Amino acid sequence: MKYTEGSAIRDTKAPAGPIEERWEKRKFSAKLVNPANKRKLNVIVVGTGLAGGSAAATLGELGYNVKSFCYQDTPRRAHSIAAQGGINAAKNYRGDGDSIYRLFYDTVKGGDFRARESNVYRLAQVSVNIIDQAVAQGVPFAREYGGLLDTRSFGGAQVSRTFYARGQTGQQLLLGAYQALERQIAAGTVEMHTRHEMLDLIVADGRARGVIVRDMVTGEIERHLADAVVLATGGYGNVFFLSTNAKGCNTTAIWRAHERGAYFANPCYTQIHPTCIPVSGEYQSKLTLMSESLRNDGRVWVPLRKNDGRAPGDIPEGERDYYLERIYPAFGNLVPRDIASRAAKNVCDEGRGVGPGGLGVYLDFRDAINRLGRDAVEKKYGNLFEMYERITGENPYDVPMRIYPAVHYTMGGLWVDYDLQSTIPGLFVVGEANFSDHGANRLGASALMQGLADGYFVLPTTIGDYLAAGPFGDVDEEAVAEAEIRVRAKIDRLMSVNGTRTPDSFHRELGKLMWDYCGMERTEESLRKALERIPELREEFWQNVKVSGTAEELNQVLEKAGRVADFFDLAELMCLDALIRTESCGGHFRAESQDADGEALRDDEHFAHVSAWEFGGEDGPVLHKEALEYEYVKMTQRSYK
């Protein structure tokens, strides 16, 4: 795949000066919109997860006219509901040394020094407000005996800063955002459109001015116009087919924005989560995550002997390798996700894995149950244990869980500036759909933090600076018509192929290819193989995909086909980005770039930058680099030992 290198890009919105003052300076310098003018302004928000739901609710509360879209039958089915373990905040209720600066430091270090300092510090600052907001909404966070909010530890930190609601934190936070959203729907400031999928972005006179959506029940193509568009459509981990994401998660919205001119940043940064139930067979269509919170009390181990087929209870203590505790004594089982995932892969590659195919390690709660008692463990993790038993038929109170790494979160996404605005004026991107806060690896319990920080606190301030110049007048009809024609043409093309293979079969093949060649470990050879095979598979797709039914009705096969078509294009860019970045950092591990201990070896001289890709069509993408500068956290080789 050919590409060219373009001019450098930089974020012009982040203020200079002491990092502690930058967000306050930006809030004060941002233009305000008076209440009477807000009633004249229209905003579209696509996605109703934590970022999109909180953004729509807050913008409605501020007085803007908001249209909210989701492809689910209700906003509360957004994939944020699946987040289990917790949400980080620098409240320091434990008095264990936490602070805003330490959360900032841990996040920059956890991202392997590939995130912006200004954005990460703002995230740490805003984190303390999120907890207050959620408590005021009635989110039932766990509490200690005295009534104070309880916290627990998560990977990449040596303090307890993760607030949680048993193993249902994402669900409870989403319900809080959902009730705020429903309040605005009832008040008439938010107009909700469920079962609608965004298929194109309307760009007129250089600004994002609306979306083309398909009513997934009737098949009707609709156009919706606004003064600004907010994308909160989540990540693209389902490019791998097997992932912890809901089956509906896709890349279509952000990829279409990319085609219209929004730069795509760091597409190769994919997080592999170490605590997933292992694959059980070829029939499987998704994977189930066991919360990282389980690593608080569960101990990870494998047998010392290769190919040890004994039951875990028959393996004596002296013949067990608690390898995370051995290799990383300072952090033990709470090392960051990328570190834990590669360590699990390594011991399994040595032949010491457990379960079918040797692709698993034990997560053992025996010591925690002996120390705390079964009742205490059940109060913390009961619903997670129940879920594990329902899926595997094994009782984790009696036998260790079996876990293995799996695709989970994508740190890449649309490039945004400090205001969360993309390279298309008027197009804002929040939550996992943007690239901004996590660098090359997301620390656990930071996804919920970023989604709510963006939606409740950052976007409502920064979008006002843009909208202060609005309303922006009538939208050019030609631009709207062109977008609608593109959508109809793609649907017609998918319907007319009438081949012999299902979209799912192509998706499964693409996903295996991506996992094998661009998964936990990448090499130049594997990435070149992928870049050779992906175009061939895409060509076969467009010649042989079978879409049954019609476009003028509920048609889930058509929905899947459109999403898989976009995954092909994204997969190619991901592999190109991974090929060019000849360093290892966070979730991007190039086998050619590791130190003597097998740890990721960064190349700060050549790669301390964000890779922001401009869509180039047939001429290939254009790479723009945003230099990353570190004033407060010195770039060093990461160590959790």
Side-chain angles (χ1 to χ4, degrees):
M1 185 182 186
K2 60 183 179 179
Y3 78 99
T4 56
E5 193 161 324
S7 58
I9 188 173
R10 66 189 187 95
D11 174 16
T12 60
K13 299 289 180 60
I19 198 166
E20 300 88 351
E21 300 173 7
R22 291 177 188 175
W23 178 226
E24 289 301 320
K25 286 175 68 174
R26 181 62 190 128
K27 285 194 290 185
F28 183 75
S29 66
K31 299 182 184 71
L32 299 177
V33 183
N34 79 53
N37 288 341
K38 285 174 183 171
R39 293 193 290 270
K40 304 172 186 175
L41 293 163
N42 301 299
V43 181
I44 285 172
V45 181
V46 184
T48 59
L50 285 179
S54 60
T58 308
L59 292 172
E61 183 81 42
L62 287 172
Y64 295 104
N65 300 306
V66 181
K67 284 187 178 181
S68 177
F69 295 86
C70 69
Y71 61 72
Q72 297 92 345
D73 59 352
T74 170
R76 66 178 182 272
R77 290 195 191 277
H79 184 56
S80 299
I81 206 165
Q84 301 161 332
I87 178 170
N88 287 332
K91 285 285 198 181
N92 194 29
Y93 286 162
R94 288 285 184 96
D96 56 0
D98 200 13
S99 65
I100 288 172
Y101 193 91
R102 189 176 293 279
L103 175 52
F104 157 68
Y105 174 85
D106 287 345
T107 305
V108 171
K109 178 184 175 183
D112 217 349
F113 303 92
R114 291 294 177 260
R116 289 184 188 141
E117 282 192 330
S118 293
N119 288 66
V120 176
Y121 195 89
R122 175 177 65 187
L123 179 64
Q125 284 178 301
V126 171
S127 71
V128 299
N129 305 119
I130 297 171
I131 302 303
D132 296 339
Q133 173 95 356
V135 170
Q137 290 174 335
V139 173
F141 285 122
R143 294 179 181 267
E144 295 178 326
Y145 178 77
L148 297 177
L149 297 185
D150 196 12
T151 54
R152 55 192 179 198
S153 300
F154 252 63
Q158 292 175 303
V159 296
S160 293
R161 65 163 67 101
T162 304
F163 295 79
Y164 65 99
R166 209 178 185 194
Q168 306 171 354
T169 315
Q171 177 178 347
Q172 298 301 330
L173 287 169
L174 184 63
L175 290 173
Y178 169 70
Q179 69 184 13
L181 177 62
E182 286 294 321
R183 179 172 180 270
Q184 296 308 312
I185 293 171
T189 62
V190 177
E191 183 180 294
M192 189 68 232
H193 297 263
T194 59
R195 303 297 289 163
H196 282 71
E197 183 168 23
M198 173 184 160
L199 295 181
D200 213 334
L201 178 72
I202 298 169
V203 180
D205 298 322
R207 299 178 187 269
R209 293 303 309 273
V211 294
I212 303 293
V213 299
R214 178 176 180 269
D215 184 321
M216 297 163 68
V217 177
T218 67
E220 183 180 356
I221 304 300
E222 302 174 3
R223 49 175 71 178
H224 295 267
L225 306 178
D227 295 292
V229 176
V230 179
L231 297 186
T233 52
Y236 49 88
N238 274 349
V239 69
F240 291 88
F241 187 74
L242 284 179
S243 83
T244 65
N245 291 185
K247 288 299 291 178
C249 294
N250 64 84
T251 191
T252 293
I254 57 173
W255 190 258
R256 205 63 70 245
H258 175 54
E259 291 179 332
R260 301 287 85 79
Y263 290 3
F264 206 119
N266 299 333
C268 78
Y269 287 168
T270 305
Q271 180 168 83
I272 312 296
H273 198 295
T275 318
C276 184
I277 297 178
V279 176
S280 57
E282 289 292 323
Y283 58 85
Q284 204 160 341
S285 61
K286 83 171 298 293
L287 297 173
T288 303
L289 179 70
M290 289 287 100
S291 168
E292 181 176 314
S293 63
L294 294 170
R295 288 198 278 146
N296 267 282
D297 291 304
R299 300 180 69 193
V300 180
W301 65 275
V302 291
L304 280 172
R305 285 183 356 207
K306 292 183 178 181
N307 305 312
D308 191 331
R310 290 177 292 176
D314 295 335
I315 300 176
E317 188 71 17
E319 297 180 31
R320 300 180 177 192
D321 181 12
Y322 295 91
Y323 58 89
L324 291 178
E325 299 171 34
R326 171 175 56 83
I327 303 171
Y328 308 102
F331 281 74
N333 296 299
L334 291 175
V335 292
R337 292 173 177 177
D338 59 323
I339 305 285
S341 293
R342 281 198 301 277
K345 179 182 185 298
N346 290 341
V347 295
C348 290
D349 288 349
E350 292 170 5
R352 296 193 288 140
V354 301
L359 293 178
V361 300
Y362 288 128
L363 181 60
D364 196 339
F365 288 86
R366 181 191 63 178
D367 290 350
I369 292 171
N370 290 338
R371 184 179 74 254
L372 303 171
R374 174 168 171 157
D375 287 348
V377 172
E378 189 170 351
K379 285 178 181 177
K380 282 185 174 182
Y381 311 114
N383 61 311
L384 299 173
F385 278 40
E386 181 183 349
M387 181 168 65
Y388 181 87
E389 184 173 10
R390 286 185 178 184
I391 292 171
T392 66
E394 299 173 359
N395 184 344
Y397 293 105
D398 299 330
V399 297
M401 290 183 178
R402 286 179 295 108
I403 56 171
Y404 192 71
V407 171
H408 178 55
Y409 187 94
T410 47
M411 285 75 66
L414 294 186
W415 185 93
V416 292
D417 60 19
Y418 191 67
D419 284 359
L420 305 181
Q421 186 171 208
S422 73
T423 48
I424 301 175
L427 178 67
F428 293 78
V429 191
V430 294
E432 192 179 355
N434 74 32
F435 89 103
S436 67
D437 292 347
H438 305 299
N441 175 59
R442 177 175 69 76
L443 289 185
S446 288
L448 304 185
M449 176 174 62
Q450 186 212 343
L452 292 178
D454 286 357
Y456 279 137
F457 300 107
V458 180
L459 177 79
T461 297
T462 60
I463 199 172
D465 186 70
Y466 174 80
L467 291 172
F472 297 107
D474 294 335
V475 182
D476 178 29
E477 172 58 28
E478 186 176 342
V480 181
E482 284 178 1
E484 188 172 328
I485 288 169
R486 285 193 300 265
V487 167
R488 293 186 184 276
K490 184 168 185 178
I491 291 174
D492 290 345
R493 186 182 178 193
L494 287 167
M495 297 300 303
S496 65
V497 176
N498 199 30
T500 61
R501 287 187 62 179
T502 65
D504 265 354
S505 72
F506 281 105
H507 191 185
R508 188 182 291 273
E509 186 172 348
L510 173 66
K512 186 176 189 311
L513 184 155
M514 288 295 289
W515 177 251
D516 290 344
Y517 296 149
C518 191
M520 249 194 293
E521 183 173 291
R522 298 101 184 257
T523 65
E524 180 178 354
E525 180 185 6
S526 73
L527 292 166
R528 291 193 182 279
K529 283 182 181 178
L531 287 168
E532 182 179 327
R533 178 61 183 139
I534 290 169
E536 296 173 351
L537 190 59
R538 177 173 52 211
E539 184 177 354
E540 184 184 347
F541 172 87
W542 284 111
Q543 292 178 352
N544 198 28
V545 70
K546 172 72 173 180
V547 180
S548 54
T550 71
E552 292 75 34
E553 62 180 348
L554 174 65
N555 190 337
Q556 292 183 311
V557 180
L558 174 61
E559 296 163 19
K560 290 177 183 177
R563 295 167 187 170
V564 173
D566 293 326
F567 277 139
F568 278 118
D569 296 338
L570 169 66
E572 194 170 20
L573 185 63
M574 289 174 69
C575 292
L576 176 63
D577 189 44
L579 179 66
I580 292 168
R581 189 172 283 273
T582 55
E583 67 163 353
S584 293
C585 56
H588 168 65
F589 189 79
R590 286 289 297 265
E592 305 95 335
S593 185
Q594 53 184 304
D595 64 19
D597 295 326
E599 303 289 353
L601 187 62
R602 293 195 325 270
D603 180 354
D604 294 332
E605 181 181 354
H606 298 102
F607 294 103
H609 64 253
V610 175
S611 297
W613 293 92
E614 178 184 2
F615 185 74
E618 294 181 359
D619 295 329
V622 181
L623 174 60
H624 302 271
K625 297 177 181 178
E626 178 198 341
L628 292 169
E629 299 174 357
Y630 291 89
E631 300 176 60
Y632 292 87
V633 183
K634 182 181 178 182
M635 284 196 288
T636 58
Q637 190 66 20
R638 270 199 311 170
S639 175
Y640 291 93
K641 296 181 178 180

